[in-house]
């Protein structure tokens, strides 16, 4: 899965490594990018409606569908199985949401009035960079879906909570099983 601007705008492509076959997933003059893939599911940010929305694609059935269409912005999706988490600013600040690709059910994960950014999901855990105790630099927070508990996992600074539009840095979190990798520090240090 990769983003390419060979036609003058960013579109998404899927490469089948064993066969070398390339498949164009998106073909719209607006930006499509920041894709995440799990199995046969792909989710990405899409600007075709003049705002950051989320779309999904099923590789097996070759079908695309709108996932989250809202006047507010949805961005930085992370996929695990049929679950996708993302940041959303429909309440005036960045919050974390979870949507099930199978059922379409959307759940607001965070409700704190500070910004929560760059979510990642793996198994029972949803992680993000949180600005509730430091609006300039974040801390690592998580929500356990099984126990329904939210907790601070690591002190900051984790990532500058600055929005640079399309040049916003990629998420500084990676999860695998019980291991979490994150970037400590700031881009200024």
């Amino acid at each position: 899965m990769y983003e390419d601007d060979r036609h003058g705008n960013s579109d998404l492509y899927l490469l089948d490594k064993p066969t070398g076959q390339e498949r164009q997933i998106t073909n719209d003059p607006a930006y499509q990018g920041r894709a995440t893939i799990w199995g046969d599911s792909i989710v990405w940010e899409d600007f075709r409606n003049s705002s950051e929305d989320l779309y999904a694609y099923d590789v097996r059935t070759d079908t695309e569908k709108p996932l989250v269409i809202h006047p507010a912005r949805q961005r930085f999706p992370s996929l695990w199985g049929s679950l996708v988490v993302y940041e959303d600013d429909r309440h005036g600040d960045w919050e974390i949401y979870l949507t099930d690709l199978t059922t379409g059910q959307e759940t607001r994960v965070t409700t704190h009035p500070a910004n929560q950014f760059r979510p990642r999901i793996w198994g029972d855990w949803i992680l993000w960079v949180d600005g509730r105790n430091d609006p300039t630099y974040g801390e690592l927070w998580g929500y356990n879906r099984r126990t329904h508990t939210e907790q601070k996992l690591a002190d900051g600074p984790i990532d500058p909570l600055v929005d640079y539009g399309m040049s916003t840095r990629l998420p500084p979190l990676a999860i695998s099983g019980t291991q979490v990798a994150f970037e400590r520090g700031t881009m200024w240090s």
Side-chain angles (χ1 to χ4, degrees), residues 67-84:
L67 183 62
V68 183
I69 307 299
H70 193 278
R73 298 177 293 171
Q74 297 79 41
R75 62 187 192 177
F76 291 106
S78 174
L79 192 55
W80 185 80
S82 68
L83 303 176
V84 59

Side-chain angles (χ1 to χ4, degrees), residues 19-66:
T19 66
Q21 292 285 72
E22 179 185 75
R23 183 189 315 184
Q24 187 171 355
I25 303 300
T26 63
N27 184 16
D28 188 272
Y31 170 84
Q32 288 92 35
R34 292 186 183 140
T36 180
I37 185 170
W38 183 281
D40 289 327
S41 298
I42 302 169
V43 175
W44 68 90
E45 289 178 27
D46 196 303
F47 277 76
R48 73 181 76 177
N49 301 314
S50 301
S51 177
E52 292 161 291
D53 292 317
L54 297 180
Y55 279 76
Y57 180 83
D58 186 315
V59 174
R60 199 175 8 83
T61 62
D62 193 30
T63 56
E64 175 189 294
K65 70 177 181 179

Side-chain angles (χ1 to χ4, degrees), residues 110 112 114-116 128 130-135 139 141 150 161:
T110 60
H112 194 277
N115 289 317
Q116 286 83 44
W128 63 88
D130 196 297
R132 73 183 70 193
N133 296 318
D134 185 344
E139 302 165 321
W141 279 70
E150 181 180 288
L161 299 181

Side-chain angles (χ1 to χ4, degrees), residues 49-178:
N49 301 314
S50 301
S51 177
E52 292 161 291
D53 292 317
L54 297 180
Y55 279 76
Y57 180 83
D58 186 315
V59 174
R60 199 175 8 83
T61 62
D62 193 30
T63 56
E64 175 189 294
K65 70 177 181 179
L67 183 62
V68 183
I69 307 299
H70 193 278
R73 298 177 293 171
Q74 297 79 41
R75 62 187 192 177
F76 291 106
S78 174
L79 192 55
W80 185 80
S82 68
L83 303 176
V84 59
V85 293
Y86 48 93
E87 59 185 62
D88 186 305
D89 71 346
R90 71 181 74 178
H91 299 285
D93 61 333
W94 291 107
E95 298 293 344
I96 307 302
Y97 277 78
L98 168 74
T99 295
D100 188 315
L101 290 173
T102 307
T103 65
Q105 180 179 351
E106 181 181 71
T107 304
R108 186 174 175 183
V109 176
T110 60
T111 58
H112 194 277
N115 289 317
Q116 286 83 44
F117 283 91
R118 313 306 185 263
R120 285 288 180 252
I121 184 170
W122 187 274
D124 291 330
W125 282 97
I126 300 170
L127 303 183
W128 63 88
V129 178
D130 196 297
R132 73 183 70 193
N133 296 318
D134 185 344
T136 304
Y137 303 104
E139 302 165 321
L140 179 62
W141 279 70
Y143 176 79
N144 186 297
R145 296 183 311 108
R146 186 175 35 81
T147 63
H148 304 287
T149 55
E150 181 180 288
Q151 67 187 67
K152 182 170 82 169
L153 301 172
D155 290 326
I158 302 296
D159 182 49
L161 299 181
V162 178
D163 182 1
Y164 298 105
M166 293 310 299
S167 64
T168 302
R169 291 173 7 140
L170 293 175
L173 304 174
I175 311 171
S176 179
T178 61

Side-chain angles (χ1 to χ4, degrees), residues 2-13 24 31-32:
Y2 58 95
E3 185 177 327
D4 191 298
D5 65 353
R6 69 182 78 168
H7 299 294
N9 65 303
S10 288
D11 283 311
L12 298 173
Y13 294 82
Q24 187 171 355
Y31 170 84
Q32 288 92 35

